[in-house]
Each structure stands twice: as C-alpha cells, then as structure tokens.
Amino acid sequence: MNRSIARLTLGSLALVAIAAGLWLAFTSAPDVFQRDYVRIMYVHVPGSWLAFLAFGVTAIASLAWLISKRMVFDRIAEASAEIGVLFTAVSLLTGMLWGYPVWGTFWDWGDPRMASTALMFFVYLGYLALRRAVNDPTARARRSAILGMIAVVQVPLVYFSVTLWRSLHQGMTVRPDGIAMDGSMVAALFVNIAAFTILYAYLMVERTLLARLEIEAAVVETELAGRSVARPNLEGLI
Amino acid sequence: MNNSYIWISYLVTYGLILGYVAVVWSRIRSHRGRSSNTQT
C-alpha cells in the first residue's frame, strides 16, 4: 500500500475512533461515588496504557537494534519514547485534575503510583535528552538502546505499585476475576483505549517518517559541506 | 454537565495531542520543502 494512503487511512480511523470514544465518554452512566468525575478516567486510563505500550515498544526496538544494528529500530525506539513521554504527561495531568475534586489533593508524593509515574516521566525525558546530546548516530543508538532497555523496568513497577505498596490510588479495576464496572462504563473505557491505540499507530508512522527525513537531511548537509571544502594547496610543504 | 475539571482534562489531553501532531507535521513539511530546494 502507498505510504501516504496508509497515513491517511490510519489518521481517519483514529479520528473516527476518538469521536466514538468522546461520545461514549460523555453519554455513559455516572459513577455512584465519583459522579461525573469518572469521565476523566476515559482519557486518564488510555493515556497510562499508551505510555506503557510506547515504552515497551522502545525497549523491544532497542533490543532489536542491539542485535541487528539496523537504524530503523533506533528510529522506532526514539519515536515511541517521545510519544510515551507525551502520554505520560497526559496521564499525570488528568490524574491530578481527577485527584483534586475526588481525593481533595492534586498531588501526594507519598503515593507510590503517582511518585513512580513521575519518576518514569523524568527518566524518559532523560532518554530524549541523551539522544540530543550525542552526535554520532551509532554511539547515540547504542547508548539510548541500553537506557531504553533498563528504563522499561519501571513499567511493571508503576503498574503493580497499587498492589505492592499501600496507595491512595485505587486498585486494579480490570482483574482476572472480572471487571468491577457498569457495562456502559466498560464500553466507554475500552473504546477510548482502542482509539488511543490507533492514534499511537498513526503517531508512530508520522514520527518515524520525520526521523527518516531528518537523517536524509543530515546526510545531504554533510555532503554539501564536504563539497565546499577546497583541496589544500600543499605545494612546497611536502 | 457543569464541571470545569472534566472539561479541562479533555482540553489538556487533546490540546497536547493536537500540539504534538502540529509540530510533527510542520517539521515534516519543512524537511520536504528543504529537500526539494536542494534538488533544484
């Protein structure tokens, strides 16, 4: 399939899925205890899911680069980490906006879920800073691949933090023994998770395309710079 | 529904996403424009 048709199809699919998710989010039943504030969950939970997915893909692409040394995996790791940071920010901000009216506080450093998510956010910001600090493409790919594989350890730690430690954050709603939610809420949640996942695929296509264009531009600039350097006149010196 | 926290949450979420998409699109366009200038 032509690349631009694939981009258009994915983008349109993401738009339709987001529209359906928004409609369900604002028409589903309110919660008995949280009332309408439960609607914030329909962007907060998909945001967290995408952060986990994106950092998982970064780790897998990092391992693939270390094994194969193919630069396409480095571009995938970079794109996915950047999108993961964006959705971790979404998760943190919407969590704070839900926390104030429901818990009475925007933030509590004593809560393991909040603290570990904030730590994960800053570690991946560091990953992106590392990428910008190294000029040599191979050294950059190697160093960021190693960090990408180490940093992913935080994903299960953040996910299980509500069961491993005492937490203000609510426990898992979707458990192996069932889902503790009304049917309309489950539909709103899963349609929004699906919409964000399609959006992730679209953003990955766009961001990896940009990474490829940046590398091509760097190669062209190097060649042009090389042409402008005059051959030194060494007559009489040798 | 009159609840500013809910509306702000959705504005923040989709504002960040749209902002990111706009930055990526504009960088893609600027690279494509630059590469066509280099070729001519």
Side-chain angles (χ1 to χ4, degrees):
Chain A
M1 193 193 287
N2 187 312
R3 194 180 174 114
S4 57
I5 293 173
R7 287 170 66 203
L8 192 68
T9 310
L10 256 180
S12 311
L13 259 177
L15 270 179
V16 170
I18 286 168
L22 279 172
W23 185 76
L24 285 172
F26 285 95
T27 54
S28 62
D31 185 71
V32 175
F33 302 108
Q34 301 175 39
R35 300 190 306 277
D36 280 323
Y37 296 116
V38 75
R39 300 186 201 287
I40 299 176
M41 291 299 104
Y42 306 135
V43 280
H44 174 72
V45 176
S48 307
W49 148 248
L50 265 206
F52 295 158
L53 172 71
F55 296 146
V57 169
T58 296
I60 293 167
S62 299
L63 178 66
W65 184 87
L66 283 170
I67 293 167
S68 69
K69 301 289 186 288
R70 287 181 61 196
M71 291 311 276
V72 66
F73 293 119
D74 182 55
R75 294 201 292 271
I76 291 171
E78 179 190 23
S80 198
E82 201 173 278
I83 296 164
V85 166
L86 172 78
F87 282 96
T88 311
V90 165
S91 171
L92 285 169
L93 291 168
T94 54
M96 287 164 74
L97 286 161
W98 179 86
Y100 188 72
V102 177
W103 291 340
T105 180
F106 282 112
W107 191 263
D108 178 11
W109 278 111
D111 182 78
R113 172 61 69 85
M114 286 188 230
S116 58
T117 307
L119 181 69
M120 184 170 77
F121 177 71
F122 288 115
V123 167
Y124 278 95
L125 271 186
Y127 171 92
L128 296 177
L130 172 73
R131 296 196 63 93
R132 278 151 188 77
V134 184
N135 280 329
D136 178 54
T138 310
R140 180 173 58 222
R142 188 187 312 110
R143 290 174 199 179
S144 51
I146 293 165
L147 180 56
M149 287 179 61
I150 294 170
V152 79
V153 172
Q154 295 170 105
V155 170
L157 274 178
V158 171
Y159 184 73
F160 290 110
S161 59
V162 286
T163 48
L164 290 173
W165 298 286
R166 283 172 62 88
S167 177
L168 185 62
H169 197 281
Q170 70 188 65
M172 292 175 197
T173 309
V174 180
R175 293 186 300 265
D177 58 327
I179 303 173
M181 281 167 80
D182 177 76
S184 69
M185 293 178 181
V186 174
L189 183 63
F190 280 95
V191 167
N192 275 290
I193 287 174
F196 272 47
T197 309
I198 298 167
L199 178 66
Y200 167 77
Y202 172 70
L203 291 176
M204 279 297 288
V205 169
E206 295 293 303
R207 187 61 187 81
T208 47
L209 168 67
L210 173 61
R212 191 167 59 80
L213 290 173
E214 281 174 344
I215 289 168
E216 284 171 6
V219 170
V220 169
E221 277 167 19
T222 310
E223 282 174 1
L224 290 174
R227 274 183 222 160
S228 70
V229 176
R231 194 183 180 87
N233 183 3
L234 300 175
E235 268 183 58
L237 294 171
I238 303 171
Chain B
M1 195 189 323
N2 182 23
N3 196 309
S4 54
Y5 291 101
I6 297 169
W7 294 115
I8 294 168
S9 295
Y10 279 81
L11 281 174
V12 163
T13 301
Y14 288 103
L16 278 173
I17 292 167
L18 284 175
Y20 182 72
V21 170
V23 168
V24 171
W25 277 355
S26 106
R27 283 167 65 188
I28 288 172
R29 280 172 66 93
S30 92
H31 275 291
R32 286 205 161 141
R34 207 187 301 168
S35 70
S36 65
N37 285 342
T38 312
Q39 280 166 16
T40 54

Coordinates of all heavy atoms in Angstrom, one line a residue, chain A residues 188-229:
Chain A
A188 N -17.2 2.6 27.3 CA -16.6 3.9 27.1 C -15.0 3.7 27.3 O -14.2 4.3 26.5 CB -17.1 4.9 28.1
L189 N -14.7 2.9 28.3 CA -13.2 2.8 28.6 C -12.5 2.0 27.5 O -11.5 2.5 27.0 CB -13.1 2.0 30.0 CG -11.6 1.8 30.4 CD1 -11.0 3.1 30.7 CD2 -11.6 0.9 31.7
F190 N -13.1 0.9 27.0 CA -12.4 0.1 26.0 C -12.4 0.7 24.6 O -11.4 0.6 23.9 CB -12.9 -1.3 26.0 CG -12.3 -2.1 27.2 CD1 -13.0 -2.3 28.4 CD2 -11.1 -2.7 27.0 CE1 -12.4 -3.0 29.4 CE2 -10.5 -3.4 28.1 CZ -11.2 -3.5 29.3
V191 N -13.5 1.5 24.3 CA -13.5 2.2 23.0 C -12.4 3.3 23.0 O -11.7 3.5 22.1 CB -14.9 2.8 22.7 CG1 -14.8 3.7 21.5 CG2 -15.8 1.6 22.4
N192 N -12.2 4.0 24.2 CA -11.2 5.0 24.3 C -9.8 4.4 24.3 O -8.9 5.0 23.7 CB -11.4 5.9 25.5 CG -12.4 7.0 25.3 OD1 -12.1 7.9 24.5 ND2 -13.6 6.9 25.8
I193 N -9.6 3.2 24.9 CA -8.3 2.6 24.9 C -8.0 2.2 23.4 O -6.9 2.4 22.9 CB -8.3 1.3 25.8 CG1 -8.3 1.8 27.3 CG2 -7.1 0.4 25.5 CD1 -8.4 0.7 28.3
A194 N -9.0 1.6 22.7 CA -8.8 1.3 21.3 C -8.5 2.5 20.4 O -7.6 2.5 19.6 CB -10.0 0.6 20.7
A195 N -9.2 3.6 20.7 CA -9.0 4.9 19.9 C -7.6 5.4 20.1 O -6.9 5.8 19.2 CB -10.0 5.9 20.3
F196 N -7.1 5.4 21.4 CA -5.7 5.9 21.7 C -4.7 4.9 21.1 O -3.6 5.4 20.7 CB -5.5 6.0 23.2 CG -6.0 7.3 23.8 CD1 -7.2 7.9 23.5 CD2 -5.1 8.0 24.7 CE1 -7.6 9.1 24.0 CE2 -5.5 9.2 25.2 CZ -6.8 9.8 24.9
T197 N -5.0 3.6 21.0 CA -4.0 2.7 20.4 C -3.9 2.9 18.9 O -2.8 2.9 18.4 CB -4.5 1.2 20.7 OG1 -4.7 1.1 22.1 CG2 -3.4 0.2 20.3
I198 N -5.0 3.2 18.2 CA -5.0 3.5 16.8 C -4.2 4.9 16.6 O -3.4 5.0 15.7 CB -6.4 3.6 16.2 CG1 -7.1 2.3 16.3 CG2 -6.4 4.1 14.7 CD1 -8.6 2.3 16.0
L199 N -4.5 5.8 17.5 CA -3.8 7.1 17.5 C -2.3 6.9 17.6 O -1.5 7.5 16.9 CB -4.3 8.0 18.6 CG -3.7 9.4 18.7 CD1 -4.0 10.3 17.5 CD2 -4.2 10.1 20.0
Y200 N -1.9 6.0 18.5 CA -0.5 5.7 18.7 C 0.1 5.2 17.4 O 1.2 5.6 17.0 CB -0.3 4.6 19.8 CG 1.1 4.0 19.9 CD1 2.1 4.8 20.5 CD2 1.3 2.8 19.4 CE1 3.4 4.2 20.5 CE2 2.6 2.2 19.5 CZ 3.6 2.9 20.0 OH 4.9 2.4 20.1
A201 N -0.6 4.3 16.7 CA -0.1 3.7 15.5 C 0.1 4.8 14.4 O 1.2 4.9 13.8 CB -1.0 2.6 14.9
Y202 N -0.8 5.7 14.4 CA -0.8 6.9 13.4 C 0.4 7.8 13.8 O 1.2 8.2 12.9 CB -2.1 7.7 13.4 CG -2.0 8.9 12.6 CD1 -1.9 8.9 11.2 CD2 -1.9 10.2 13.3 CE1 -1.7 10.0 10.5 CE2 -1.8 11.3 12.5 CZ -1.7 11.3 11.1 OH -1.6 12.4 10.4
L203 N 0.6 8.1 15.1 CA 1.7 9.0 15.5 C 3.0 8.3 15.2 O 4.0 9.0 14.9 CB 1.5 9.3 17.0 CG 0.4 10.2 17.4 CD1 0.3 10.4 18.9 CD2 0.5 11.6 16.7
M204 N 3.1 7.0 15.4 CA 4.4 6.3 15.1 C 4.7 6.4 13.6 O 5.9 6.6 13.3 CB 4.2 4.8 15.5 CG 4.4 4.5 17.0 SD 6.0 4.9 17.6 CE 7.0 3.6 16.9
V205 N 3.7 6.3 12.8 CA 4.0 6.4 11.3 C 4.5 7.7 11.0 O 5.6 7.9 10.3 CB 2.7 6.0 10.5 CG1 2.9 6.4 9.0 CG2 2.3 4.6 10.6
E206 N 3.9 8.8 11.5 CA 4.3 10.2 11.3 C 5.7 10.5 11.8 O 6.5 11.0 11.2 CB 3.3 11.1 11.8 CG 1.9 11.1 11.2 CD 1.9 11.5 9.8 OE1 2.3 12.7 9.5 OE2 1.5 10.7 8.9
R207 N 5.9 10.0 13.1 CA 7.2 10.4 13.8 C 8.4 9.6 13.2 O 9.5 10.2 13.1 CB 7.0 10.1 15.3 CG 8.2 10.6 16.1 CD 8.4 12.1 16.0 NE 9.6 12.5 16.7 CZ 10.8 12.4 16.2 NH1 11.0 11.9 15.0 NH2 11.9 12.8 16.9
T208 N 8.2 8.3 12.8 CA 9.3 7.6 12.1 C 9.6 8.2 10.8 O 10.7 8.2 10.4 CB 9.0 6.1 12.0 OG1 7.7 5.9 11.5 CG2 9.1 5.4 13.4
L209 N 8.5 8.7 10.1 CA 8.8 9.3 8.8 C 9.6 10.6 9.0 O 10.6 10.8 8.3 CB 7.4 9.7 8.1 CG 7.5 10.7 6.9 CD1 8.2 10.0 5.7 CD2 6.1 11.1 6.5
L210 N 9.3 11.4 10.0 CA 10.1 12.6 10.3 C 11.5 12.2 10.7 O 12.5 12.9 10.2 CB 9.4 13.3 11.5 CG 10.2 14.5 12.1 CD1 10.4 15.6 11.0 CD2 9.5 15.1 13.3
A211 N 11.7 11.1 11.5 CA 13.1 10.7 11.8 C 13.9 10.4 10.6 O 15.1 10.7 10.5 CB 13.0 9.5 12.8
R212 N 13.2 9.7 9.6 CA 13.9 9.3 8.4 C 14.3 10.6 7.6 O 15.4 10.7 7.0 CB 13.0 8.4 7.5 CG 13.7 7.7 6.4 CD 12.9 6.6 5.8 NE 11.6 7.1 5.3 CZ 11.3 7.7 4.1 NH1 12.3 7.9 3.3 NH2 10.1 8.0 3.8
L213 N 13.4 11.5 7.5 CA 13.6 12.8 6.7 C 14.8 13.5 7.4 O 15.6 14.1 6.7 CB 12.4 13.7 6.7 CG 11.2 13.1 5.8 CD1 10.0 14.0 6.0 CD2 11.6 13.1 4.3
E214 N 14.8 13.5 8.7 CA 15.9 14.2 9.4 C 17.3 13.6 9.1 O 18.3 14.3 8.9 CB 15.7 14.2 11.0 CG 14.6 15.2 11.4 CD 14.2 15.1 12.9 OE1 14.5 14.1 13.5 OE2 13.6 16.1 13.4
I215 N 17.3 12.3 9.1 CA 18.6 11.6 8.8 C 19.0 11.9 7.3 O 20.2 12.2 7.0 CB 18.5 10.1 9.0 CG1 18.4 9.8 10.5 CG2 19.6 9.3 8.4 CD1 18.0 8.5 10.9
E216 N 18.0 11.9 6.4 CA 18.4 12.2 5.0 C 18.9 13.6 4.8 O 19.8 13.8 4.1 CB 17.1 12.0 4.1 CG 16.8 10.5 3.9 CD 15.4 10.3 3.2 OE1 14.8 11.3 2.8 OE2 15.0 9.2 3.1
A217 N 18.3 14.5 5.6 CA 18.7 15.9 5.5 C 20.1 16.1 6.1 O 20.9 16.8 5.5 CB 17.7 16.8 6.3
A218 N 20.4 15.3 7.1 CA 21.8 15.4 7.7 C 22.8 14.9 6.8 O 23.9 15.5 6.6 CB 21.8 14.6 9.0
V219 N 22.5 13.8 6.0 CA 23.4 13.2 5.0 C 23.6 14.3 3.9 O 24.8 14.5 3.5 CB 22.8 11.9 4.5 CG1 23.7 11.4 3.3 CG2 22.8 10.8 5.5
V220 N 22.6 14.9 3.4 CA 22.7 15.9 2.3 C 23.5 17.0 2.8 O 24.4 17.5 2.1 CB 21.3 16.4 1.9 CG1 21.4 17.6 1.0 CG2 20.5 15.2 1.2
E221 N 23.3 17.5 4.0 CA 24.0 18.7 4.6 C 25.5 18.3 4.7 O 26.4 19.1 4.4 CB 23.5 19.1 5.9 CG 22.3 20.0 5.8 CD 21.5 20.2 7.0 OE1 22.1 19.9 8.1 OE2 20.3 20.6 7.0
T222 N 25.8 17.1 5.1 CA 27.2 16.7 5.3 C 27.9 16.7 3.9 O 29.0 17.1 3.7 CB 27.3 15.3 5.9 OG1 26.5 15.3 7.0 CG2 28.7 14.9 6.3
E223 N 27.2 16.1 2.9 CA 27.8 16.1 1.5 C 28.0 17.5 1.0 O 29.1 17.7 0.4 CB 26.8 15.3 0.6 CG 26.9 13.8 0.8 CD 25.8 13.1 0.0 OE1 25.1 13.8 -0.8 OE2 25.7 11.8 0.1
L224 N 27.0 18.4 1.2 CA 27.2 19.7 0.7 C 28.3 20.4 1.4 O 29.1 21.1 0.7 CB 25.9 20.5 0.9 CG 24.7 20.1 0.0 CD1 23.4 20.9 0.4 CD2 25.0 20.4 -1.5
A225 N 28.5 20.2 2.7 CA 29.6 20.8 3.4 C 30.9 20.3 2.9 O 31.9 21.0 2.8 CB 29.4 20.5 4.9
G226 N 30.9 19.0 2.6 CA 32.1 18.4 2.1 C 32.6 19.0 0.8 O 33.7 19.2 0.5
R227 N 31.6 19.3 -0.1 CA 31.9 19.8 -1.4 C 32.5 21.2 -1.3 O 33.3 21.7 -2.1 CB 30.6 19.9 -2.3 CG 30.3 18.7 -3.0 CD 29.1 18.9 -3.8 NE 28.2 17.7 -3.7 CZ 26.9 17.7 -4.0 NH1 26.4 18.8 -4.4 NH2 26.2 16.6 -4.0
S228 N 32.1 22.0 -0.3 CA 32.6 23.4 -0.2 C 34.0 23.5 0.4 O 34.6 24.5 0.4 CB 31.6 24.2 0.7 OG 31.7 23.7 2.0
V229 N 34.5 22.3 0.9 CA 35.9 22.4 1.4 C 36.9 22.3 0.3 O 36.8 21.3 -0.5 CB 36.1 21.3 2.4 CG1 37.5 21.3 2.9 CG2 35.1 21.4 3.6

